[in-house]
Amino acid sequence: MSKDFVTVDGNVKKIQKENLTSYKVATVILIKVYCNETTKAIVERRDFCLASLKLIQSADMELTALLDMLYEPEYALHRFADQLEVELDILYEKGVDGLLDLFDSLRRLMEPKDHSLSLSALHKNSVHGLYVRRMLIFFEKLAFDQVVTLYNDLKKYVERKINNPENSDISEINKQGDSGPYKAKTIWGGRQAELLVAQQAHALQTDEHKALPSIELQALVQDLLKSTPYNADAHYLSYLNCIRVSDFCGAVDSLYHCFDRLAPLENRSTPEDRSRTFRYAALNLAVLHAQFNHKEIAQYALKEAIKLAQEAGDNVCLQLAHSWVSYLTSEEHKGPLIERSVGKASLLGITHTTGLSLISHAHNYALEAKNPSLVFDILMKSDMLNCQHSMSDLMSITFAEKSALWAYYGKTEMASLCAQLLLLHNTGDKKQHVFNGPPTCQAIVTIANILIELGEYILADIVLTHAKKKFPNSPCNKMWMLSEQLHMFTQLMRQEKWSEAEAIAKSISSLDKLECKLKLAEVCLAKGDFPKGLEYINLIMKDADATSLYKIRAILISSQIMCASSSPGNGSAISTNCIVHLCSALELATRNHLSYYKALVKMHLANIQLLMGLPTLALNMVEEAIPTILGHGGYYDQGKAFMLYGKCLIASASEKSSETRKEAILTGIKTLSKAQALFMKVNAIAKVKSILHLQAVFYNEIDLLLERNRCAFEFRQLSEQYVITSTNLFLY
């Protein structure tokens, strides 16, 4: 969007309309009272600086509200508030002469008292000095009748305070309605309005929780528009606020109003000014529709912006539109467009677009199964550009992208490290430019997910609660909502509450449709509804948006369904089909450099080999894959890996030598105990019961009856405490 807003008269220069009001007169009187006071405590100096800055930047408020603020315990300014009331009463009695004397005394405040080298009471270049000088200029421009009007307004301003001594807040005066003789009204000056809009817009774009709540901000925008109805900035702030709460109608309406105010008149502007406004209006409209996923309508608006930009020869607008075209294009045609976008944006010097294009380029390369070293090399170039131009928002996005890519490649520790670096990047009191947007929320959710995988459910809930408070609005809230729903789903599945888990899985549909289908397939596997589970798997495999990661996960669940549905008669055929499916998943994981899922597929293959009576081959494959699982997996996956490893150790032990067999069984039982401890940490009771059952059987085989009875007793205790059946021992 153009930074040089065009006014309704067609002039490019901004015209700030600002008048001298009774509130501003009271503010300069307070500054005069403070400057004339010779003895001031350090606390008073500090509090006056804070309070006066707030008064200068705020909208006009009633005298009662102004005095209440000064009388607050937060500020040690009671004696200055008393003197302000006295000065206003004197001015009220003296009339217009008192007003003239006031501004004469303000002028003398900035002059040396004794000689030319002595210091003045108010430095003319200080914040207060600049404010007073501006008020002096406004006063000198007033005609005599306007000075009389200002005095009459000041009398009414003081009288409202006298007539409402109990009302200590402007809100109380507002509640009187229109029937009162003097209705309280918020008046925003041009500079105050511009500052407020800039602060709130910056907060919404960089650190949303520091902005006003959406309802309060919208009410504030309405007040601004009452004071300055042709303020395009205020309409753009309303547009950002509507985007924040996903109010499409309000966002479109505010954007139209914004560009209506920017649109120059036919007879007062050049054709270039008109064309510039119209093409950026079309570009912003395309961005709005893209934000709400209206891709087809966004493409129509982009075509209009491109057409206008080509007619005007505006390469910058063309490049911005081209970047959005690549965003809206389908995955298979996105690569060449992004590469062209990177080169052209760099050539034109559009650094922000260049940085974003590099991040998109790396993301697209990862999905196209390019070498990870090439992907991270592109992100390193983005890092260099972001640091050179101090683009904190892109720095955060790069950290989040690295975290996501490491997680995609199966390196959980590196993903956690990048997420923590992002959170560290956005902390600290000395930070001047902090960006707390979707990347920060994603980093917090990543930390919560890792805590969940490690069985730290209480800590994970604390982290998710922090994300809820800090990011209550879309699109960030979808991230922690999805993490929360998946956490609940996992717990319900481990407690064998199938119907509740199915309801949670269906509710995930609004957040992630593919994840919803995967979870529903898991529920069908647990319930034994195998045909329905395979239907969900087929839907995932046919979905155009399904990435390699989703396809591998779907194949793993389908292989589990095949194993669970096999009968003694057709076990060999089922195992062969499972191996074929798992080999295709292994090839997909290898081609896309998904090391963790490559290890998971190998564990499933080892389980099939164990069922087929090939324990030695199964053991070799487990030993090849288990380091990756233990290095990057959660406690639940680690427990399953130890469980399979223990079964393979025992199954591969020689039957000929009883001593060797006994030693192998003891080693296997020890490995199963490790799995049991891990399952207990994540509260997977069904798995714990399965391990106790296995241990009891193996202890019985080597005649360790005491240990066998202990395992049986623990199994019985868990059965009485939890109504949960043991898991299928033939499934990994």
Side-chain angles (χ1 to χ4, degrees):
M1 183 178 174
S2 173
K3 293 182 179 179
D4 298 326
F5 283 167
V6 185
T7 62
V8 77
D9 294 327
N11 299 319
V12 175
K13 183 180 178 182
K14 290 186 180 182
I15 300 174
Q16 293 293 342
K17 186 179 179 183
E18 192 166 0
N19 298 320
L20 188 58
T21 61
S22 304
Y23 168 75
K24 292 172 183 173
V25 172
T27 304
V28 295
I29 291 174
L30 179 64
I31 294 173
K32 187 193 83 164
V33 166
Y34 175 80
C35 292
N36 287 334
E37 183 61 45
T38 55
T39 58
K40 297 183 281 284
I42 297 294
V43 176
E44 290 178 329
R45 290 174 184 271
R46 182 201 65 192
D47 289 350
F48 180 78
C49 289
L50 293 172
S52 60
L53 187 63
K54 186 175 179 181
L55 292 173
I56 289 170
Q57 294 179 349
S58 297
D60 291 6
M61 62 178 76
E62 290 296 322
L63 182 57
T64 48
L66 190 155
L67 292 172
D68 281 346
M69 193 188 88
L70 297 176
Y71 282 123
E72 282 179 359
E74 181 183 353
Y75 302 113
L77 300 173
H78 295 185
R79 64 183 181 124
F80 298 112
D82 292 337
Q83 292 178 42
L84 173 62
E85 290 193 78
V86 172
E87 289 285 337
L88 284 171
D89 290 339
I90 294 172
L91 186 59
Y92 182 85
E93 297 296 334
K94 289 180 69 175
V96 177
D97 288 340
L99 203 57
L100 295 170
D101 292 341
L102 168 66
F103 282 91
D104 284 337
S105 63
L106 288 172
R107 193 176 292 104
R108 288 194 296 273
L109 277 178
M110 290 179 283
E111 297 173 355
K113 290 185 178 179
D114 301 326
H115 51 83
S116 59
L117 297 178
S118 64
L119 295 175
S120 58
L122 179 62
H123 196 283
K124 64 180 182 180
N125 291 327
S126 66
V127 174
H128 299 133
L130 290 170
Y131 184 74
V132 170
R133 284 164 61 193
R134 195 161 88 248
M135 295 305 112
L136 284 170
I137 291 171
F138 290 158
F139 186 75
E140 287 171 356
K141 288 181 178 179
L142 296 178
F144 182 75
D145 61 325
Q146 291 174 317
V147 175
V148 174
T149 303
L150 176 61
Y151 172 71
N152 290 332
D153 290 340
L154 188 63
K155 280 181 67 177
K156 295 174 183 177
Y157 188 68
V158 176
E159 286 170 357
R160 285 202 290 274
K161 189 260 177 184
I162 297 170
N163 295 334
N164 298 276
E166 310 94 22
N167 293 341
S168 59
D169 196 339
I170 192 170
S171 60
E172 295 293 329
I173 300 171
N174 283 331
K175 288 177 184 176
Q176 295 174 2
D178 297 341
S179 58
Y182 305 109
K183 183 188 174 184
K185 188 168 94 173
T186 304
I187 301 173
W188 286 93
R191 294 292 180 87
Q192 288 91 342
E194 183 181 356
L195 177 65
L196 178 74
V197 170
Q199 287 175 338
Q200 292 298 316
H202 183 264
L204 285 178
Q205 292 174 314
T206 59
D207 203 355
E208 185 187 322
H209 80 286
K210 290 185 178 178
L212 290 172
S214 54
I215 297 175
E216 292 181 24
L217 184 55
Q218 200 62 29
L220 194 59
V221 167
Q222 296 304 320
D223 283 340
L224 285 173
L225 291 174
K226 286 177 185 176
S227 302
T228 53
Y230 296 107
N231 191 338
D233 299 30
H235 283 293
Y236 194 75
L237 178 61
S238 174
Y239 160 71
L240 292 176
N241 193 39
C242 291
I243 288 285
R244 173 191 188 185
V245 294
S246 301
D247 179 8
F248 174 73
C249 295
V252 171
D253 187 58
S254 297
L255 192 63
Y256 284 164
H257 277 296
C258 173
F259 281 100
D260 283 345
R261 303 306 185 269
L262 294 177
L265 299 179
E266 292 282 341
N267 57 349
R268 296 191 185 180
S269 62
T270 63
E272 168 58 26
D273 290 335
R274 291 196 295 273
S275 174
R276 179 182 177 83
T277 303
F278 294 148
R279 64 178 174 265
Y280 277 100
L283 182 58
N284 274 267
L285 187 61
V287 174
L288 170 62
H289 284 292
Q291 180 79 20
F292 286 93
N293 206 31
H294 304 157
K295 292 187 176 181
E296 189 175 350
I297 303 175
Q299 287 171 345
Y300 287 135
L302 274 178
K303 287 179 182 177
E304 180 70 19
I306 290 169
K307 178 181 175 183
L308 292 171
Q310 286 174 335
E311 290 176 356
D314 188 345
N315 288 325
V316 173
C317 184
L318 271 174
Q319 180 52 41
L320 293 173
H322 182 266
S323 300
W324 281 101
V325 168
S326 64
Y327 172 78
L328 295 170
T329 307
S330 58
E331 294 293 336
E332 57 268 17
H333 304 106
K334 189 170 286 190
L337 287 174
I338 294 176
E339 289 181 20
R340 204 175 306 140
S341 176
V342 172
K344 193 66 176 176
S346 178
L347 185 65
L348 293 170
I350 315 174
T351 53
H352 196 275
T353 304
T354 306
L356 271 175
S357 299
L358 283 169
I359 296 168
S360 299
H361 192 26
H363 184 85
N364 191 66
Y365 261 24
L367 295 179
E368 288 180 351
K370 300 289 184 180
N371 197 307
S373 61
L374 182 59
V375 173
F376 284 100
D377 184 56
I378 295 171
L379 287 177
M380 188 179 294
K381 293 177 183 177
S382 176
D383 278 335
M384 292 170 60
L385 186 69
N386 299 338
C387 291
Q388 285 172 357
H389 297 275
S390 300
M391 295 183 287
S392 58
D393 56 338
L394 293 190
M395 292 180 196
S396 298
I397 293 172
T398 306
F399 274 123
E401 184 66 27
K402 286 179 182 177
S403 178
L405 286 172
W406 281 122
Y408 178 72
Y409 290 131
K411 309 298 182 185
T412 311
E413 289 298 321
M414 290 300 297
S416 172
L417 180 62
C418 289
Q420 291 177 66
L421 284 172
L422 169 54
L423 297 177
L424 182 65
H425 173 70
N426 283 339
T427 56
D429 297 333
K430 296 182 180 179
K431 289 283 184 182
Q432 296 296 321
H433 304 288
V434 174
F435 179 76
N436 279 321
T440 308
C441 183
Q442 185 62 63
I444 295 172
V445 170
T446 299
I447 299 299
N449 290 339
I450 291 171
L451 289 171
I452 291 169
E453 289 295 320
L454 298 178
E456 301 289 349
Y457 299 134
I458 297 175
L459 292 178
D461 288 337
I462 293 171
V463 173
L464 285 174
T465 302
H466 172 70
K468 291 179 190 179
K469 290 180 180 177
K470 199 164 187 177
F471 302 98
N473 297 315
S474 179
C476 297
N477 59 3
K478 293 182 180 179
M479 300 174 189
W480 57 257
M481 281 181 184
L482 181 59
S483 177
E484 189 177 45
Q485 294 293 309
L486 292 175
H487 177 35
M488 292 170 60
F489 174 83
T490 303
Q491 292 300 304
L492 291 169
M493 286 292 288
R494 288 173 187 171
Q495 295 168 15
E496 295 190 354
K497 297 180 179 178
W498 314 130
S499 57
E500 294 177 28
E502 188 174 7
I504 294 290
K506 289 179 179 177
S507 68
I508 295 173
S509 177
S510 60
L511 303 171
D512 191 332
K513 291 182 179 179
L514 289 172
E515 192 68 38
C516 167
K517 293 183 178 71
L518 279 171
K519 296 306 177 187
L520 288 171
E522 286 185 28
V523 173
C524 292
L525 170 62
K527 289 168 60 177
D529 189 359
F530 303 132
K532 188 69 175 176
L534 290 174
E535 285 181 21
Y536 287 122
I537 297 300
N538 290 331
L539 289 174
I540 294 168
M541 300 302 288
K542 292 177 183 177
D543 198 309
D545 296 327
T547 61
S548 301
L549 191 60
Y550 280 111
K551 290 179 180 178
I552 292 169
R553 292 173 62 192
I555 292 171
L556 292 178
I557 296 174
S558 68
S559 70
Q560 294 280 72
I561 291 174
M562 288 181 187
C563 286
S565 61
S566 63
S567 60
N570 64 348
S572 178
I574 293 292
S575 298
T576 305
N577 288 334
C578 285
I579 289 176
V580 171
H581 280 78
L582 290 173
C583 284
S584 67
L586 184 63
E587 190 272 333
L588 202 57
T590 305
R591 178 156 36 94
N592 287 275
H593 311 283
L594 308 180
S595 61
Y596 186 73
Y597 278 92
K598 182 179 175 182
L600 276 183
V601 172
K602 287 183 177 180
M603 298 299 280
H604 280 79
L605 280 169
N607 188 55
I608 299 296
Q609 289 174 336
L610 185 63
L611 295 177
M612 293 174 68
L614 304 170
T616 305
L617 291 176
L619 180 61
N620 292 336
M621 189 162 284
V622 169
E623 287 176 343
E624 183 184 343
I626 199 169
T628 303
I629 303 292
L630 299 181
H632 301 285
Y635 283 168
Y636 187 73
D637 283 350
Q638 290 182 32
K640 290 200 298 181
F642 275 127
M643 187 176 178
L644 181 59
Y645 185 48
K647 289 195 290 185
C648 289
L649 282 173
I650 296 169
S652 61
S654 174
E655 295 285 348
K656 296 178 181 179
S657 175
S658 59
E659 288 298 324
T660 307
R661 173 74 178 168
K662 183 176 181 181
E663 186 178 347
I665 289 176
L666 288 173
T667 306
I669 289 173
K670 189 176 180 181
T671 305
L672 290 174
S673 297
K674 293 180 182 178
Q676 181 184 351
L678 291 168
F679 286 136
M680 285 299 293
K681 287 182 180 178
V682 294
N683 201 29
I685 304 302
K687 288 288 185 183
V688 173
K689 289 177 68 177
S690 297
I691 287 176
L692 288 171
H693 172 243
L694 282 173
Q695 286 178 328
V697 170
F698 293 135
Y699 276 131
N700 184 68
E701 183 179 341
I702 57 176
D703 292 328
L704 293 178
L705 302 182
L706 187 63
E707 285 77 2
R708 180 201 65 184
N709 294 339
R710 177 182 56 79
C711 292
F713 176 69
E714 290 180 12
F715 184 94
R716 182 177 178 181
Q717 279 188 318
L718 289 175
S719 297
E720 291 175 354
Q721 190 175 356
Y722 302 97
V723 186
I724 294 176
T725 58
S726 303
T727 56
N728 190 334
L729 292 175
F730 297 105
L731 296 181
Y732 168 68

